[in-house]
């Protein structure tokens, strides 16, 4: 594993609050291996660093692209939060393998830990994935971690292409938090979350709360963000990318892509605060264990 410097988080915490927080220090592991998009993993690390600094929490963030990290429950036991970025989840499956996936799910479920999944990381956390079902070139189907006992079905909006930003867009999500404005979020290939009706008893035991819904076109009303209670742990899953501001699109020669950046810039603070509040809900589950 590689350690990402998070000294701003700890430094700011000491300046803002001279007294030690009553909450524990968090050790987080960000997956950066096969399938993790380079931009997505960097944005996810930055997002977590900013979040913990904002919440005055001590934090230690490590990254890993090593399959061996997931083969040993003792190694996984050092972490209270696991974060998987956007990319393609078949890469996650290949690197972790069946044993690594089982260990990760067991650690979250039995260790009162948190799992944070963005787009591909959200697909990976569900019981089943249905990506581009019926498309001979893009279709991906199969079982995954099962932290959310349901299906991740996508892409919610058409046009996705691994080799371009043809399907990229800004979507509007409505959150459950009173007083929140609708938030504008970057989207490219993500899912909606469909509850599991095959095993009602299991689904009831592992409850899930919808924290935000899509508001546009055929996806209107569909879950965009869910918080799944899985065993003693929890999984916060985003079908979109609230961690991304896409600043590089500002200088794009494509006016459609420049407009994506403009829309994201206008709603940046609303998006940030709404996403922080959602992550607060996951951290309540983690903090309840005390570790």
């Amino acid at each position: 594993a590689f350690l990402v410097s998070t000294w701003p988080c700890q430094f700011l915490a000491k300046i803002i609050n001279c007294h030690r927080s009553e909450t524990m220090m968090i050790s987080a592991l960000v997956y950066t291996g096969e399938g993790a998009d380079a931009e997505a993993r960097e944005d996810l690390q930055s997002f977590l660093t900013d979040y913990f600094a904002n919440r005055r929490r001590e934090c230690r963030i490590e990254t890993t692209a090593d399959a061996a990290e997931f083969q040993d429950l003792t190694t996984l036991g050092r972490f209270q939060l696991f974060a998987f970025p956007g990319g393609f989840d078949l890469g996650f499956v290949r690197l972790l393998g069946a044993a690594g996936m089982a260990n990760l799910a067991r650690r979250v479920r039995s260790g009162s830990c948190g799992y944070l999944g963005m787009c591909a990381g959200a697909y990976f956390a569900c019981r089943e994935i249905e990506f581009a079902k019926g498309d001979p070139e893009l279709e991906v189907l199969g079982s995954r971690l099962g932290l959310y006992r349901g299906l991740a079905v996508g892409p919610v909006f058409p046009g996705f292409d691994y080799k371009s930003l043809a399907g990229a867009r800004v979507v509007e999500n409505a959150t459950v938090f009173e007083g929140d404005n609708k938030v504008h979020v970057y989207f490219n290939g993500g899912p909606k979350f469909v509850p599991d009706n095959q095993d009602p008893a299991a689904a009831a035991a592992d409850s899930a709360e919808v924290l935000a819904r899509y508001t546009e076109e055929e996806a209107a009303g569909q879950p965009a963000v869910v918080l799944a209670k899985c065993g003693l742990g929890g999984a916060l899953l985003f079908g979109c990318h609230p961690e991304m501001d896409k600043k590089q699109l500002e200088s794009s020669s494509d006016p459609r892509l420049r407009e994506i950046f403009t829309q994201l810039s206008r709603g940046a603070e609303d998006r940030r605060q709404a996403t922080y509040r959602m992550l607060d809900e996951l951290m309540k589950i983690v903090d309840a264990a005390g570790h």
Side-chain angles (χ1 to χ4, degrees):
F2 297 91
L3 176 64
V4 176
S5 174
T6 58
W7 67 266
C9 170
Q10 298 175 12
F11 180 69
L12 285 173
K14 291 177 181 177
I15 291 178
I16 297 171
N17 185 0
C18 295
H19 300 287
R20 184 185 177 103
S21 171
E22 293 182 359
T23 53
M24 65 179 178
M25 176 176 173
I26 292 296
S27 291
L29 185 65
V30 177
Y31 176 85
T32 59
E34 183 180 358
D37 176 78
E39 178 190 354
R41 70 196 189 200
E42 290 174 6
D43 285 348
L44 181 53
Q45 292 170 41
S46 296
F47 167 76
L48 287 173
T49 299
D50 292 344
Y51 167 78
F52 285 114
N54 181 274
R55 292 314 196 235
R56 306 178 188 181
R57 296 287 299 266
E58 291 185 273
C59 59
R60 176 186 176 90
I61 300 175
E62 296 184 33
T63 66
T64 187
D66 185 358
E69 297 272 353
F70 298 93
Q71 305 307 313
D72 182 6
L73 280 171
T74 302
T75 300
L76 293 180
R78 296 191 293 113
F79 302 101
Q80 296 83 45
L81 178 65
F82 302 92
F84 278 67
F88 63 99
D89 95 314
L90 278 177
F92 308 167
V93 173
R94 283 195 291 263
L95 189 133
L96 270 68
M101 290 172 63
N103 285 341
L104 176 58
R106 187 182 310 162
R107 171 61 183 159
V108 173
R109 285 184 168 279
S110 63
S112 301
C113 294
Y115 176 101
L116 174 63
M118 303 293 193
C119 197
Y123 280 110
F124 187 56
C126 295
R127 180 182 61 79
E128 298 281 343
I129 173 178
E130 290 185 2
F131 183 82
K133 187 175 182 179
D135 186 316
E137 295 184 1
L138 295 177
E139 181 180 88
V140 178
L141 308 174
S143 300
R144 295 298 189 261
L145 294 178
L147 299 177
Y148 171 71
R149 289 191 185 272
L151 280 68
V153 181
V156 172
F157 298 101
F160 178 77
D161 178 10
Y162 277 115
K163 298 179 182 179
S164 75
L165 295 179
R169 61 188 291 170
V170 175
V171 299
E172 186 179 73
N173 288 347
T175 77
V176 299
F177 301 115
E178 184 177 355
D180 268 3
N181 297 319
K182 290 181 179 179
V183 294
H184 294 86
V185 187
Y186 181 72
F187 174 94
N188 192 16
K192 62 182 178 181
F193 302 97
V194 181
D196 189 348
N197 295 320
Q198 295 182 10
D199 189 349
D206 286 355
S207 59
E209 179 182 2
V210 177
L211 298 187
R213 296 181 183 274
Y214 298 107
T215 65
E216 301 167 86
E217 301 172 17
E218 65 275 11
Q222 296 294 330
V225 184
V226 294
L227 176 66
K229 188 71 169 65
C230 39
L232 299 176
L236 178 61
L237 310 179
F238 289 85
C240 40
H241 285 283
E243 81 286 12
M244 287 187 165
D245 55 28
K246 305 300 290 185
K247 288 183 180 179
Q248 73 275 19
L249 297 183
E250 184 178 16
S251 57
S252 172
S253 60
D254 185 336
R256 185 184 71 85
L257 297 182
R258 289 200 303 274
E259 179 58 22
I260 287 177
F261 168 76
T262 300
Q263 291 181 47
L264 291 174
S265 298
R266 291 193 194 112
E269 188 57 28
D270 285 342
R271 180 173 63 255
R272 182 179 301 110
Q273 293 305 321
T275 307
Y276 283 0
R277 292 174 76 177
M278 294 179 195
L279 188 49
D280 286 343
E281 297 303 306
L282 178 63
M283 294 312 301
K284 288 177 184 177
I285 297 174
V286 176
D287 289 338
H291 291 276

